[in-house]
Amino acid sequence: AQSVTQLGSHVSVSEGALVLLRCNYSSSVPPYLFWYVQYPNQGLQLLLKYTSAATLVKGINGFEAEFKKSETSFHLTKPSAHMSDAAEYFCAVSKAAGNKLTFGGGTRVLVKP
Amino acid sequence: GAVVSQHPSRVICKSGTSVKIECRSLDFQATTMFWYRQFPKQSLMLMATSNEGSKATYEQGVEKDKFLINHASLTLSTLTVTSAHPEDSSFYICSARDFKRGDYNEQFFGPGTRLTVL
């Protein structure tokens, strides 16, 4: 079985500050890992994904994440927060064969001016 | 490319009625579509996996007679909430996988449908 834990349901950052969202996973097989962003009353948009290639993955909107197998983590970062980054962020894991995504609980990001 | 639409975006219905939600892949063929529900301030929970031309696979705890899923074509899947009750009020999101793309497991998500049952 797979599971995803996102530490911190809410994160507040100042505009221009570092954004760090934590995600830890458990999986019985090498995982495929994803970060999605959700704006209010909208579906999910893929930020980036890890599919067993480079461990440092760059995504859209200046986000990146690093896969650390030893720590079973896939934390999401952005060097400088922008007001438009205020949204809900979900980490998700899947196995290659099943295609089913298991989501973490989500982290809501608030950006202060 | 890889756009998924949902219709309607919002629906309000009376308790006891049935509601149909459509999920369409607009510019690709989707052999597999997924249906999720999301309660306020919570994460997405997978309800079922829908494969074109075959019966949907429901997750544990999801009533298949309550949530009818039909995936009759490579671009359309429907979710019908039968005899809806207020506890069925939720945000329903579909996603689709493009079997021709090499992306690993990438699902493309629709914008969601907010169902309110009075």
Side-chain angles (χ1 to χ4, degrees):
Chain A
Q2 307 163 112
S3 67
V4 179
T5 302
Q6 290 183 240
L7 297 177
S9 60
H10 291 78
V11 168
S12 181
V13 298
S14 297
E15 190 174 19
L18 172 71
V19 179
L20 170 60
L21 305 183
R22 300 179 187 276
C23 172
N24 288 89
Y25 69 92
S26 67
S27 177
S28 57
V29 298
Y32 293 85
L33 295 158
F34 306 82
W35 274 100
Y36 289 90
V37 61
Q38 184 183 33
Y39 297 99
N41 295 310
Q42 295 186 27
L44 275 66
Q45 180 182 6
L46 180 68
L47 281 176
L48 48 81
K49 61 188 177 188
Y50 167 76
T51 58
S52 73
T55 57
L56 182 62
V57 181
K58 293 187 183 297
I60 62 171
N61 301 340
F63 285 94
E64 64 181 37
E66 185 172 9
F67 172 68
K68 291 186 177 181
K69 183 178 179 180
S70 61
E71 298 178 7
T72 61
S73 68
F74 191 56
H75 302 331
L76 180 71
T77 60
K78 181 174 180 177
S80 178
H82 191 271
M83 296 300 291
S84 61
D85 295 326
E88 184 97 25
Y89 292 79
F90 293 97
C91 182
V93 63
S94 76
K95 294 188 287 189
N99 286 358
K100 291 166 51 173
L101 283 172
T102 300
F103 286 89
T107 299
R108 185 170 298 275
V109 173
L110 171 65
V111 182
K112 298 177 292 185
Chain B
V3 179
V4 176
S5 70
Q6 282 185 241
H7 178 80
S9 57
R10 289 177 175 270
V11 57
I12 301 173
C13 69
K14 293 182 179 180
S15 185
T17 61
S18 295
V19 174
K20 180 183 286 188
I21 302 170
E22 293 185 348
C23 175
R24 292 182 184 272
S25 56
L26 299 185
D27 52 2
F28 67 98
Q29 294 181 320
T31 51
T32 304
M33 288 184 172
F34 303 86
W35 286 95
Y36 299 84
R37 66 185 300 181
Q38 183 181 31
F39 291 107
K41 300 183 188 296
Q42 294 189 29
S43 189
L44 282 76
M45 298 298 294
L46 180 65
M47 299 175 66
T49 302
S50 166
N51 292 297
E52 186 263 339
S54 63
K55 291 184 178 181
T57 302
Y58 290 80
E59 294 299 301
Q60 190 173 7
V62 177
E63 300 175 59
K64 58 182 66 177
D65 294 331
K66 171 79 171 172
F67 299 99
L68 301 179
I69 292 173
N70 183 280
H71 192 167
S73 78
L74 284 171
T75 59
L76 173 65
S77 176
T78 60
L79 168 68
T80 301
V81 183
T82 62
S83 186
H85 291 284
E87 57 266 29
D88 298 324
S89 298
S90 187
F91 195 51
Y92 292 88
I93 302 175
C94 74
S95 70
R97 183 171 184 259
D98 182 354
F99 76 103
K100 289 184 178 178
R101 293 167 71 107
D103 301 298
Y104 294 92
N105 289 325
E106 183 168 356
Q107 297 178 24
F108 301 97
F109 285 80
T113 296
R114 183 161 302 284
L115 170 64
T116 303
V117 185
L118 302 176

